[in-house]
Amino acid sequence: MSEGADLAIEVSGLYKRYGDNEAVAGVDLSVAIGEVVAFLGPNGAGKTTTVEILEGLRTRTSGDVRVLGVDPAEATSAWKERIGVVLQGAKHEGDFTSSEIVTMWSAYYRSPRSTAEVLELVGLSDAAGTRTRRLSGGQQQRLAVALALVGSPELVFLDEPTTGFDPAARREAWQTIGGLRALGVTVMLTTHYMDEADLLADRIVVISRGRIVADGTAAELAAHAAMPSQISWDAAELSSDRLPRQLRDLLGADESSAPPASPDARAVPPARPTIATQDVDAVVRELLAAAGGAGTRLDSLAVRPPTLEDTYLALTRDESKAGEFTRDEITGDSP
Ligand code: ATP
């Protein structure tokens, strides 16, 4: 990715120091126009600092930053109108209705979207006349996104948009965020939820201790981190002691160290022996052969590919797996 004109965000060699603390330590990042990127990282990794530098809310120590072609440190009001920011836990407690709040907000923009269109975009048309303090958590979040969309932004920053939500509210918020993609809006989504990142984002960027440790699709990250798939089956169909030695050696620690037999052992559901492997094909073949040899079927056989959460934990826990790899390295693009 080298074509500046196609990029919504371009960051190179970004540093931010707070005294002796290097909160951002050489971040390089490109986000294409229309891309939805999830920005993940443990607490204190440097997400907020990075994002707020991009939003023009914090100064940087050094490095080059362009957001929609402009250095955020020299942001003009025209540039700010092209960007939408949805802060974490944004809440409107007042006596105004959803519709009134959106209309008031419109006054800040030179050519705002109409109130009805904005409410429609976030699925709040039915709550147009509802006082904001009566909105549910999910509706509050939709209203926050609505306010960010009033000025037809090209780029939206979402900060942990579903933290503290119940499952139904999360799904509502996901629908709204998914709708931004259809509008062609570039989205930078900061989140701690792997399912959210996996579902909504084209690309995952992981930051740890101020450095980008992974940048790619969920599958690319898993491949790079050499994450195994989990193969499991019902021990009632094929118990561990019927396995050939080479498979028994691969059994997960939990399953191979069987608990001592108890008098009511039959009441306990049979365990699922599990093998973690990158060579799914070979292990499955061997398991089916073992089942065939034992005169049984393996209808319960399940293969679970690595989840983004598995990969994320490996990347942020194990520095050797993370290394300093980037999307360019994975795809072979020139820098
Ligand atoms: P979280 O997931 O907890 O929000 P984060 O990834 O957003 O974390 P940052 O808030 O960017 O992390 O913080 C990165 C580092 O910079 C941390 O060590 C933090 O203590 C430090 N830091 C952040 N803001 C300031 C500040 N205003 N002054 C001094 N240190 C700061």
Side-chain angles (χ1 to χ4, degrees), residues 98-104 106 113-120 128:
S98 308
S99 167
E100 286 166 344
I101 291 268
V102 172
T103 303
M104 283 189 279
S106 306
R113 284 194 164 104
S114 78
T115 297
E117 183 191 354
V118 170
L119 292 175
E120 175 76 32

Side-chain angles (χ1 to χ4, degrees), residues 18 21-24 41-50 58 88 160 190 192 207:
Y18 298 108
N21 182 5
E22 204 159 62
V24 178
N43 290 131
K47 299 181 297 295
T48 307
T49 301
T50 303
R58 285 196 208 196
Q88 191 182 339
E160 299 189 26
T190 305
H192 283 293
I207 186 169

Side-chain angles (χ1 to χ4, degrees), residues 8-330:
I9 297 174
E10 297 171 81
V11 175
S12 102
L14 178 63
Y15 284 82
K16 173 69 182 183
R17 286 184 203 96
Y18 298 108
D20 288 344
N21 182 5
E22 204 159 62
V24 178
V27 160
D28 298 319
L29 177 68
S30 304
V31 176
I33 289 170
E35 230 181 345
V36 178
V37 169
F39 198 35
L40 310 179
N43 290 131
K47 299 181 297 295
T48 307
T49 301
T50 303
V51 166
E52 291 199 352
I53 290 170
L54 299 180
E55 292 167 350
L57 299 175
R58 285 196 208 196
T59 57
R60 60 189 186 261
T61 304
S62 60
D64 290 325
V65 180
R66 288 280 178 283
V67 175
L68 301 179
V70 172
D71 182 343
E74 293 158 15
T76 60
S77 52
W79 176 83
K80 286 180 186 155
E81 285 202 17
R82 299 168 65 200
I83 288 171
V85 176
V86 182
L87 297 173
Q88 191 182 339
K91 248 188 150 183
H92 300 273
E93 305 276 9
D95 246 345
F96 296 108
T97 64
S98 308
S99 167
E100 286 166 344
I101 291 268
V102 172
T103 303
M104 283 189 279
W105 207 261
S106 306
Y108 292 112
Y109 296 92
R110 274 174 291 188
S111 45
R113 284 194 164 104
S114 78
T115 297
E117 183 191 354
V118 170
L119 292 175
E120 175 76 32
L121 280 174
V122 299
L124 270 187
S125 300
D126 290 347
T130 306
R131 304 214 178 277
T132 52
R133 68 186 142 79
R134 299 210 181 282
L135 296 176
S136 69
Q139 288 174 319
Q140 286 275 3
Q141 188 63 34
R142 286 170 171 228
L143 182 60
V145 176
L147 298 182
L149 293 182
V150 168
S152 301
E154 294 156 56
L155 168 64
V156 171
F157 291 96
L158 296 170
D159 186 12
E160 299 189 26
T162 65
T163 296
F165 282 18
D166 69 28
R170 295 186 75 206
R171 280 189 169 67
E172 279 179 30
W174 288 348
Q175 254 179 8
T176 302
I177 299 165
L180 297 181
R181 176 197 301 281
L183 293 174
V185 175
T186 308
V187 178
M188 180 92 172
L189 163 74
T190 305
T191 183
H192 283 293
Y193 296 121
M194 301 300 131
D195 53 351
E196 185 162 291
D198 212 3
L199 183 80
L200 297 174
D202 301 309
R203 230 173 94 206
I204 318 275
V205 175
V206 182
I207 186 169
S208 180
R209 295 178 206 170
R211 292 187 173 80
I212 305 292
V213 296
D215 181 345
T217 64
E220 285 169 342
L221 266 49
H224 181 86
M227 296 302 295
S229 294
Q230 306 284 331
I231 301 177
S232 69
W233 65 95
D234 196 325
E237 289 180 351
L238 183 66
S239 60
S240 307
D241 55 6
R242 315 282 309 248
L243 295 176
R245 168 112 231 140
Q246 72 272 19
L247 284 185
R248 227 179 306 147
D249 288 348
L250 294 176
L251 278 173
D254 293 347
E255 287 75 19
S256 56
S257 55
S262 66
D264 60 349
R266 265 181 302 171
V268 178
R272 288 186 66 84
T274 303
I275 289 175
T277 180
Q278 285 183 268
D279 196 349
V280 173
D281 184 274
V283 171
V284 166
R285 280 170 197 274
E286 287 183 43
L287 276 170
L288 292 175
T296 180
R297 293 171 58 93
L298 269 190
D299 290 332
S300 63
L301 190 69
V303 178
R304 181 175 74 74
T307 64
L308 180 59
E309 185 154 326
D310 298 334
T311 307
Y312 169 81
L313 288 173
L315 287 169
T316 51
R317 223 189 257 144
D318 179 355
E319 297 265 306
S320 69
K321 281 208 168 172
E324 292 227 7
F325 84 97
T326 65
R327 182 178 180 76
D328 291 344
E329 191 182 311
I330 297 168

